Amino acid sequence: MTIDTDDTQPRHFLDVDDLSEEELFAVLDRADEYKRAVEAGEDHADLSGQTLGMLFQKASTRTRVSFETGMTQLGGHAIFLGEDDIQLGRGEPLKDTSRALSRYVDAVMARVFKHENIEVLAEYSSVPIVNGLTDDAHPCQTLADLLTIREHEDGLEDVSAAWIGDGNNVAQSFALGCALTGVDLTIATPEGYEVDDAVLERARELGGDPTATTDPVDAVTDADIIYTDVWISMGQEDERDVRMDDFAGFQVSSDLLEHAPEASVMHCLPAHRGEEITDDVIEGERSVVFDQAENRLHAQKALLSWLLE
Ligand code: CP
Ligand code: NVA
């Protein structure tokens, strides 16, 4: 019998386009099922006896808690591995960490600084690696975002979204997710903070046609979704003064919302009120930010059970 060696390799989820369009929709549909199961109080211990390692080089509230809770609800177990609690913090190479973890756990979710670091984890892992955020990408966030848009817009067809602010990790994965699902996207950033050209090119290869602009009003006019994130991401704290100047005019405020009377407002959280978004907008009736946060749980459970089945 011929063994197809590709079948012996684990599937990793380093960015949204590691899934095909069909696979992405399958994960979203499974997330809907898990959400219904939680609401109905139905048992869904699909990962009974399985363990997720959760490696963190950066802080987290939502990612950490939603993955750990998700594994509990699926009948499995999750182990928090803070960088400074394991030998990685004392200089053990990532490739050794990855190979050792592979011998114990069924999957690893990792939040690291450089995107290349998650690629090293994946290269040396014999179990699926899930990107829980890198400097360049946040694909688990995108799964929850698409689930949220689908719920609030009654589908993903004919939806137009506007990204306002930094062309950062969240924006880049969102651009790929919009491209895969047919969501029309306009990205408004100050000059010098654009989404990487290579990411825009990948989005186009997926069939998307993201528009880039430096005009937030242009971007949000008649949009269905307005999405923003912090101006200073983890690891960029030294750039605070420059960034505060450069992002002036990119705040999601009630004035900006006047140009999109029907739009829902999204934010991956944590939010910095008074910087990228005003308090009245994030607390307002058009804000769906806590639906997004909840959907992290359902989307990631779906991703894990799909990767591990
Ligand atoms: N949105 C998000 O990833 O939140 P945390 O940093 O709290 O995990
Ligand atoms: N862009 C933010 C997202 C946090 C979830 C950061 O990287 O800090």
Side-chain angles (χ1 to χ4, degrees), residues 26 118 249:
I118 202 139

Side-chain angles (χ1 to χ4, degrees), residues 59-64 111 138 141 234 268-270 296:
S60 170
T61 299
R62 281 143 287 271
T63 304
R64 176 177 174 176
R111 170 168 285 196
H138 198 2
Q141 182 66 51
M234 290 181 276
C268 61
L269 303 177
R296 295 290 303 277

Side-chain angles (χ1 to χ4, degrees), residues 96-117:
D96 291 359
T97 305
S98 188
R99 281 178 288 190
L101 290 177
S102 289
R103 302 294 179 107
Y104 306 125
V105 302
D106 299 285
V108 173
M109 182 277 294
R111 170 168 285 196
V112 298
F113 284 92
K114 289 184 178 149
H115 193 77
E116 299 85 74
N117 286 345

